[in-house]
Amino acid sequence: VDGIWIARDCVVLIACSDEHVLSWHLARAETTAAWRSLLSRIAPPDMVVTDGGSGFASAVAAEWPRTRVQRCVFHAFCQVKRCTTTRPKLQAGRELYGIALDLMHIETLHQAELWRERYLDWCGFWADFLEDTTLVDGRRVYTHERLRKARRSLSSLVSAGTLFTYLDPGLTKAGP
């Protein structure tokens, strides 16, 4: 599923399989109600891949409660890239960028577990560094807020268990 913005207040919510558009819905925004309108017209699949747009999580929980959610790993990587850039200056940023880039090459449960361990090791190693603060206009702010945001985005996906849903052996691949 995805939301394709065609104007400032106009988005096409679209659901497709590997081969076909299943349904679409024109809306003013990616709200829970708009996503529910789209999802309610489609039989619930075993798994749905999403970019994590607003309103979708609530809609899928309401309309397709048994459907497993997979966060698009490319979008997960892009979120980190937005925070670190493609050429991070800090070692912590270079390492996190590399970890996020590796998301797109995970093909087995074993690789997924190794990736999780590597990410959690990174979190532990850089934890104190990411707690550094700086005085700005008389108040303390985190020095590395962009790295913290990148970490938060990955940590929420790891906690939710939506990064490697596609590797679940219990899911069946439709078609030949």
Side-chain angles (χ1 to χ4, degrees):
V1 297
D2 201 3
I4 302 165
W5 288 89
I6 55 176
R8 184 171 176 262
D9 289 329
C10 187
V11 61
V12 177
L13 304 180
I14 189 165
C16 57
S17 68
D18 288 340
E19 299 87 23
H20 304 286
V21 171
L22 303 173
S23 188
W24 59 273
H25 177 74
L26 194 60
R28 292 193 179 276
E30 291 187 59
T31 64
T32 298
W35 279 113
R36 286 189 74 173
S37 181
L38 173 72
L39 300 182
S40 67
R41 298 189 305 251
I42 305 167
D46 291 338
M47 182 182 78
V48 63
V49 180
T50 178
D51 64 4
S54 59
F56 184 77
S58 299
V60 78
E63 295 295 327
W64 296 344
R66 291 184 188 88
T67 296
R68 304 275 309 277
V69 176
Q70 167 65 50
R71 175 66 188 266
C72 172
V73 292
F74 177 74
H75 282 92
F77 162 72
C78 287
Q79 177 63 33
V80 171
K81 183 174 79 168
R82 274 190 294 278
C83 296
T84 64
T85 75
T86 56
R87 292 192 283 177
K89 291 182 174 61
L90 300 173
Q91 182 63 29
R94 286 191 293 270
E95 290 176 17
L96 187 58
Y97 179 85
I99 290 167
L101 186 61
D102 287 346
L103 273 173
M104 293 181 289
H105 306 287
I106 306 296
E107 297 177 358
T108 67
L109 286 170
H110 179 68
Q111 289 173 336
E113 187 53 39
L114 292 175
W115 183 92
R116 260 191 298 272
E117 288 174 14
R118 183 173 164 217
Y119 171 69
L120 293 174
D121 286 347
W122 181 91
C123 290
F125 185 83
W126 293 103
D128 290 342
F129 176 77
L130 294 176
E131 292 299 315
D132 287 349
T133 58
T134 304
L135 196 59
V136 176
D137 297 329
R139 65 181 194 111
R140 291 244 163 242
V141 296
Y142 288 108
T143 306
H144 310 290
E145 184 53 44
R146 292 172 62 87
L147 271 177
R148 291 173 59 86
K149 182 177 180 182
R151 177 186 63 181
R152 219 172 15 254
S153 73
L154 288 177
S155 290
S156 67
L157 297 174
V158 168
S159 295
T162 58
L163 272 178
F164 304 114
T165 306
Y166 66 99
L167 296 173
D168 185 334
L171 292 171
T172 57
K173 175 81 172 147

